Amino acid sequence: MSRSSRVFAAVLALLFCATLASPAGASDRHGVPPAFVALRDVDPTIRYDIRYFGRHNFVGERIDGYRQPECVLTRQAARALRTAQRTLLRRGYTLKVYDCYRPQRAVDHFVRWAKDLDDERMKAEFYPNVDKSRLFADGYIAEKSGHSRGSTLDVTLVKLPVRPQRPYLPGEPLVACFAPVGQRFPDNSVDMGTGYDCFDPLSHTDNPAITGAARHHRDLLRSTLANVGFRNLPEEWWHFTLNDEPFPDTYFNFPVTRRALG
């Protein structure tokens, strides 16, 4: 066999091995598995407030991997969410998503931030009662996230008709995420007892201190999503994962963008 023939054979062998090594749901030429969709293409009525695309989050800056303020999910999760939305619309509510698929590079950004104990620019709102050195030990930050598997999302309820929500102004005075409605940031969602991404025991879904309207809203969100196949993370009222997620062991790293979908 000539040298050029041996090189060609070696290249073919490498390509064959790479194909065999590709995980379930192999990515297309854009790096996005065909099983993923933009939520707005499945249900355009669901509202968005993609916090990690902007600066109103516990880090205080746009997070790596968020190239557009989009909700990307596996097709199964998006369709289940559409079913839940139809139920809630009849009851006078709409879903609003804060985060959906989250690339591993975003999780890595969180980890780097959590290790920088001097950066506490957003502490007064998102973790006023937690020492930043405790974020890993207390489970608020981890090196892997179910969001990276594509069937987990952070979501809330908004009452119809939807009220406008003013934008967050970087540098504005911060108010604790567990302050009463009317004092904390004016999110247009219904009262859930705390704001989104509130690192505090009051965010635990069944915390007995949450009563009245906030308790009703948490229970309504959880029961509606449970009826279409999602389970809630007990420590975060906003966090839900599809029970039959198609990629339970795969953590993806393609960026959040709509351009590569379809």
Side-chain angles (χ1 to χ4, degrees):
M1 182 182 292
S2 68
R3 183 175 182 278
S4 60
S5 297
R6 289 196 301 271
V7 171
F8 181 69
V11 171
L12 286 178
L14 287 172
L15 290 173
F16 179 70
C17 291
T19 300
L20 290 179
S22 296
S27 299
D28 63 16
R29 64 187 179 91
H30 298 289
V32 182
F36 282 75
V37 296
L39 178 61
R40 68 175 72 250
D41 291 336
V42 177
D43 190 325
T45 70
I46 295 175
R47 298 289 175 136
Y48 292 73
D49 185 2
I50 307 300
R51 292 290 185 89
Y52 302 140
F53 179 76
R55 296 171 65 180
H56 189 207
N57 56 63
F58 59 85
V59 177
E61 62 190 26
R62 182 181 297 183
I63 305 303
D64 291 353
Y66 286 81
R67 297 183 183 174
Q68 291 181 302
E70 290 288 341
C71 172
V72 175
L73 289 169
T74 61
R75 194 177 308 275
Q76 294 93 323
R79 287 174 173 171
L81 208 61
R82 177 179 62 190
T83 300
Q85 174 74 343
R86 289 172 177 172
T87 297
L88 289 165
L89 289 174
R90 291 194 294 268
R91 299 190 62 170
Y93 297 91
T94 178
L95 292 167
K96 182 175 80 167
V97 291
Y98 293 115
D99 192 37
C100 300
Y101 159 73
R102 181 185 305 165
Q104 182 61 43
R105 69 191 76 181
V107 180
D108 295 341
H109 190 164
F110 292 163
V111 170
R112 291 193 306 272
W113 166 83
K115 291 178 178 179
D116 181 2
L117 300 183
D118 293 328
D119 183 354
E120 294 190 326
R121 74 189 96 163
M122 303 301 284
K123 177 178 174 62
E125 178 171 353
F126 291 95
Y127 54 107
N129 291 338
V130 179
D131 191 296
K132 193 176 181 183
S133 65
R134 295 285 309 170
L135 293 181
F136 286 105
D138 292 348
Y140 293 113
I141 301 291
E143 294 186 354
K144 292 289 185 181
S145 170
H147 283 271
S148 301
R149 303 193 299 262
S151 297
T152 293
L153 67 149
D154 296 337
V155 63
T156 189
L157 298 173
V158 177
K159 187 71 174 174
L160 297 175
V162 176
R163 295 181 293 106
Q165 176 178 308
R166 74 161 176 83
Y168 166 73
L169 303 175
E172 69 177 83
L174 301 177
V175 178
C177 52
F178 47 73
V181 171
Q183 296 181 29
R184 63 178 183 258
F185 181 79
D187 190 308
N188 65 354
S189 69
V190 299
D191 183 13
M192 287 290 189
T194 75
Y196 170 58
D197 260 354
C198 188
F199 296 175
D200 192 89
L202 285 172
S203 293
H204 295 186
T205 309
D206 287 321
N207 189 307
I210 303 301
T211 59
R215 166 55 50 205
H216 168 73
H217 294 143
R218 287 190 186 190
D219 291 344
L220 175 61
L221 179 63
R222 178 172 53 182
S223 63
T224 302
L225 292 182
N227 286 340
V228 298
F230 287 96
R231 67 183 180 277
N232 173 241
L233 180 68
E235 291 77 20
E236 299 177 349
W237 59 257
W238 56 81
H239 181 115
F240 292 85
T241 298
L242 190 68
N243 291 324
D244 297 323
E245 56 180 314
F247 303 111
D249 302 308
T250 305
Y251 296 83
F252 295 96
N253 197 30
F254 60 88
V256 177
T257 175
R258 194 178 182 187
R259 295 189 184 101
L261 295 169

